[in-house]
Amino acid sequence: KNQVEQSPQSLIILEGKNCTLQCNYTVSPFSNLRWYKQDTGRGPVSLTIMTFSENTKSNGRYTATLDADTKQSSLHITASQLSDSASYICVASAGRGYQKVTFGTGTKLQVIP
Amino acid sequence: EAQVTQNPRYLITVTGKKLTVTCSQNMNHEYMSWYRQDPGLGLRQIYYSMNVEVTDKGDVPEGYKVSRKEKRNFPLILESPSPNQTSLYFCASTPSNTGELFFGEGSRLTVL
């Protein structure tokens, strides 16, 4: 059974600090891994997409890493801002197409002044 | 503006009263899909469609129907809603070349 597990479930950090969110996945055959940001009550928005051959991808202050051997990914947020407060969801896709996706339950990040 | 539009955004209904949640995208994406989001469970896929007239079940299809008669529209139909279908629903479209999901703003459904 395909699974995606994220940790921690929730996190509180001070504005300006860095943080790292973790994602472990068991998806076969692995196609790609994505991180999404979801503000409360809104639809998720894509941050990064990584395929099997990619190790790192950045999007501004967000940097995602992927280790296909250990089936782990991380999302590092640098110099956090209050607007980073949201849920961050890890999504793994299986197979050749993009439609069979498995979502993690998300990490709820709160950035405080 | 490129977007995925869902309607209604909020709906309260009663058990057994058929309802349809519409989803429309203006990006000419081939793939479309529906998800429900429940506390502690994350997003779960209900149905997906790889193209017009091609649909398939996701992980939690029971109690739902879909149709894809046109490329831009992918309505979600609840023939006989039950309280366990109370949830936040998201429609998404996906271009075939990247696999990135573009989500709508969500439809919060309450079944009494």
Side-chain angles (χ1 to χ4, degrees):
Chain A
K1 181 183 177 184
N2 292 336
Q3 284 186 312
V4 174
E5 295 180 349
Q6 293 187 242
S7 61
Q9 276 192 317
S10 62
L11 183 62
I12 301 174
I13 62 172
L14 290 173
E15 185 179 12
K17 297 296 186 182
N18 304 335
C19 68
T20 300
L21 314 180
Q22 301 291 342
C23 173
N24 294 338
Y25 64 93
T26 306
V27 170
S28 181
F30 176 73
S31 174
N32 62 68
L33 188 134
R34 294 165 269 181
W35 283 92
Y36 284 80
K37 177 185 179 186
Q38 185 178 24
D39 293 315
T40 302
R42 306 293 298 274
V45 176
S46 178
L47 293 175
T48 65
I49 297 177
M50 287 182 294
T51 61
F52 183 89
S53 59
E54 295 175 299
N55 300 117
T56 303
K57 186 163 281 189
S58 293
N59 179 2
R61 294 180 298 101
Y62 301 102
T63 299
T65 64
L66 176 66
D67 186 333
D69 291 330
T70 61
K71 295 183 171 54
Q72 294 180 328
S73 177
S74 65
L75 180 69
H76 185 74
I77 304 174
T78 303
S80 60
Q81 301 175 357
L82 297 178
S83 59
D84 292 331
S85 294
S87 287
Y88 291 84
I89 303 171
C90 178
V91 184
S93 295
R96 294 178 61 189
Y98 295 114
Q99 289 305 287
K100 290 305 291 182
V101 293
T102 304
F103 292 81
T105 54
T107 292
K108 190 174 180 65
L109 174 66
Q110 185 177 358
V111 181
I112 58 176
Chain B
E1 180 188 353
Q3 59 186 2
V4 178
T5 303
Q6 297 179 224
N7 279 297
R9 294 288 313 281
Y10 302 91
L11 179 64
I12 300 174
T13 189
V14 295
T15 299
K17 187 175 181 181
K18 180 180 178 180
L19 68 92
T20 299
V21 186
T22 63
C23 174
S24 180
Q25 52 101 358
N26 62 2
M27 295 170 278
N28 202 37
H29 289 165
E30 289 80 8
Y31 302 154
M32 296 186 74
S33 48
W34 275 102
Y35 305 86
R36 61 179 289 173
Q37 187 173 37
D38 301 291
L41 296 178
L43 284 150
R44 293 178 292 170
Q45 190 179 62
I46 303 171
Y47 268 96
Y48 64 93
S49 169
M50 297 179 71
N51 215 323
V52 175
E53 302 291 1
V54 180
T55 63
D56 208 345
K57 296 177 181 178
D59 297 318
V60 289
E62 296 78 18
Y64 305 95
K65 287 175 59 177
V66 293
S67 68
R68 187 95 181 273
K69 294 183 170 58
E70 307 165 276
K71 195 173 187 178
R72 63 182 291 126
N73 296 323
F74 190 44
L76 179 70
I77 304 157
L78 286 74
E79 293 272 2
S80 182
S82 62
N84 64 12
Q85 292 178 297
T86 292
S87 187
L88 179 59
Y89 291 87
F90 287 101
C91 177
S93 71
T94 308
S96 59
N97 59 337
T98 68
E100 179 178 347
L101 291 158
F102 290 82
F103 286 91
E105 287 299 304
S107 296
R108 185 168 292 281
L109 170 65
T110 301
V111 183
L112 301 175

